[in-house]
Amino acid sequence: MAVALCAATVLVGLTACGGGEDSTHLTWYINPDGGGSNPEGGGQAQIAAQCTEQAGGAYSIEVQLLPNSASDQRQQLLRRLAGSDASVDLMSLDPPFIPEFAQAGFLAPVPEDMVETFTEDRVESSVTASTWNEELVAVPFWANTQLLWYRKSVAEAAGLDVEGGNVTWQQLVEAAEAQDVTIGVQANRYEGYTVWINALIAGAGGEILVNPGPDLDDIELGLDSEAGRAAADIVRSVADAGVGGPSMGTADETVALNLFQDPDTSGFLVNWPYVWAAFPANGVEFIDDIGWAMYPATSDEGDPAPPYGGISIGVGAFTEDPDLAYQAAECITNHEHQVLYMTGTGNPASRAAVFDEAEVVEQFPMADVIRDSLEQAVPRPQTQFYGDLSTAIQRVWSPPDGVTEDTPAESATLIMQVLRGEALL
């Protein structure tokens, strides 16, 4: 297997050179990013190359590219770790999967003397997402959150003061309907829909998972609640008003972006900061009319709870060099490399100070809003059963025009039936 992995690494051009023949070779399994396999592309491959050079012969990092889909990334890593694969030294982990990996014993413990190093200057949501059972189990790398993107002219015509304070989803629905424009949302039957539902419930002061304990018997769901029904009401309102677009039930980030980029339908959009670079790349001519703000509030009484995304660095439990792997993780996630990664790929940093760097502010004029949003952002439910939980929610809440006040309770019932082995997804 080792020979096959090394051959694959060379074939796709992902070797980070410079460590020397006597250095310890570490393999970093990375998710695809804008830098690809180019050691000068501003992505994880370039960070691997630079950390190899800066290690002074202590270690060298080779990167292995994971599949595009987060679920496929999870599956590949789990299969390797279930087989005690020592080649998994470092891995880029999607936050919802961290509890599952930690609970299964697939992550090497974070050294106590490095916890402060890995949490200092980090936005709160990134630390929360890297924690399981009150212990840091992964290293915050880059963080992500959704903003509200809007046409200034549309908001002004609708009398909506977006810059003056938090706007609610109901206000957006009314403004979009009055101006005959759309709100780009993610409501396809996939992970992005769970992201939206979780943000709506959290914004109403609720939680999908009240008690994220390690045992099945400890699980307490918060779906069948006022917060759950408030979220269902918003999803149905967007669908009934027709402002989610003609394909709302199959809309992902790209579909939502396309609605916003079309001058005939452009009004409002909730999406990740990558869209700022996508606008000029896609030839959008009204960039000067685009504004940004904090994620919409679920109600007048609650605070916004923007979605949290990003990547944390996990160290494999079966690596032969955990100490060196954590030294490499320190290099990968330092200030210098988070600036590089944010400006090179458009993925926001988990370090708060990065957002003050002149080159970051120049590229992201909304950097302060992104940082503020990350401080308020709410991760998806933290549980080792996340895959079943998310899939059950997507199933019951689809299609969005079929959502009713009973939907939250129905999804809670299905989740527990699946976890107890009484139903299949």
Side-chain angles (χ1 to χ4, degrees):
M1 178 180 289
V3 173
L5 289 177
C6 288
T9 301
V10 173
L11 284 174
V12 295
L14 292 176
T15 302
C17 302
E21 293 183 2
D22 296 330
S23 65
T24 297
H25 292 280
L26 301 173
T27 303
W28 177 15
Y29 286 80
I30 64 172
N31 60 302
D33 61 27
S37 60
N38 185 355
E40 297 181 354
Q44 291 165 99
Q46 179 168 344
I47 293 175
Q50 291 187 356
C51 286
T52 295
E53 187 70 27
Q54 293 168 15
Y59 61 78
S60 61
I61 304 174
E62 298 176 344
V63 295
Q64 283 281 347
L65 194 62
L66 291 165
N68 286 321
S69 163
S71 59
D72 289 339
Q73 295 167 22
R74 165 186 171 271
Q75 186 178 65
Q76 182 178 133
L77 289 172
L78 283 177
R79 284 177 174 174
R80 289 182 175 277
L81 292 167
S84 302
D85 188 346
S87 79
V88 184
D89 300 300
L90 298 152
M91 49 192 150
S92 296
L93 288 175
D94 209 9
F97 305 136
I98 291 174
E100 179 181 20
F101 281 63
Q103 187 65 24
F106 290 161
L107 298 178
V110 177
E112 291 186 9
D113 61 351
M114 300 189 79
V115 170
E116 183 176 353
T117 299
F118 291 146
T119 55
E120 64 181 357
D121 189 40
R122 296 321 205 273
V123 291
E124 185 64 30
S125 53
S126 71
V127 176
T128 301
S130 302
T131 301
W132 176 241
N133 282 347
E134 300 181 354
E135 291 185 0
L136 189 74
V137 295
V139 183
F141 176 28
W142 63 273
N144 211 357
T145 188
Q146 289 194 357
L147 303 183
L148 170 63
W149 307 88
Y150 64 95
R151 295 288 298 276
K152 298 175 185 177
S153 57
V154 171
E156 182 179 0
L160 194 60
D161 183 13
V162 181
E163 295 183 0
N166 295 331
V167 298
T168 67
W169 277 97
Q170 188 57 41
Q171 288 176 321
L172 287 183
V173 171
E174 293 172 357
E177 194 171 19
Q179 299 302 310
D180 194 25
V181 295
T182 61
I183 307 173
V185 296
Q186 295 82 49
N188 193 8
R189 189 168 163 176
Y190 81 123
E191 183 59 26
Y193 196 13
T194 304
V195 169
W196 186 26
I197 294 167
N198 183 65
L200 293 176
I201 293 175
E207 299 172 291
I208 290 178
L209 182 63
V210 177
N211 181 12
D215 299 323
L216 177 59
D217 292 339
D218 294 334
I219 286 183
E220 180 183 351
L221 298 174
L223 282 158
D224 187 10
S225 62
E226 289 302 316
R229 286 182 282 277
D233 183 61
I234 289 172
V235 171
R236 186 58 186 264
S237 295
V238 174
D240 285 350
V243 296
S247 304
M248 178 180 169
T250 58
D252 58 11
E253 285 87 352
T254 301
V255 173
L257 174 60
N258 289 340
L259 279 176
F260 187 75
Q261 292 180 150
D262 186 338
D264 295 331
T265 57
S266 180
F268 306 95
L269 168 71
V270 286
N271 216 324
W272 311 96
Y274 82 91
V275 301
W276 183 243
F279 295 143
N282 294 339
V284 174
E285 297 181 352
F286 50 82
I287 292 178
D288 291 342
D289 191 35
I290 296 176
W292 49 82
M294 185 75 75
Y295 196 80
T298 303
S299 66
D300 291 326
E301 295 78 23
D303 293 324
Y308 174 80
I311 289 292
S312 296
I313 302 298
V315 172
F318 308 105
T319 175
E320 297 177 355
D321 302 284
D323 292 339
L324 282 180
Y326 273 112
Q327 288 180 34
E330 182 179 5
C331 178
I332 290 168
T333 62
N334 67 21
H335 181 94
E336 170 196 352
H337 288 134
Q338 291 204 15
V339 172
L340 165 69
Y341 198 69
M342 186 167 180
T343 55
T345 67
N347 294 320
S350 65
R351 288 180 175 270
V354 169
F355 295 87
D356 292 325
E357 295 287 351
E359 59 192 298
V360 171
V361 174
E362 181 179 2
Q363 187 170 332
F364 297 92
M366 71 297 298
D368 58 336
V369 179
I370 296 174
R371 178 172 52 195
D372 291 346
S373 180
L374 284 168
E375 294 290 2
Q376 281 188 232
V378 177
R380 280 156 279 175
Q382 291 180 285
T383 170
Q384 71 272 36
F385 306 114
Y386 182 79
D388 288 335
L389 180 147
S390 178
T391 303
I393 289 174
Q394 297 164 34
R395 173 174 159 181
V396 178
W397 289 65
S398 296
D401 59 5
V403 171
T404 71
E405 64 178 9
D406 297 324
T407 297
E410 292 170 356
S411 57
T413 298
L414 178 60
I415 289 169
M416 296 311 301
Q417 287 176 337
V418 169
L419 295 183
R420 293 176 181 139
E422 300 167 358
L424 296 175
L425 290 171

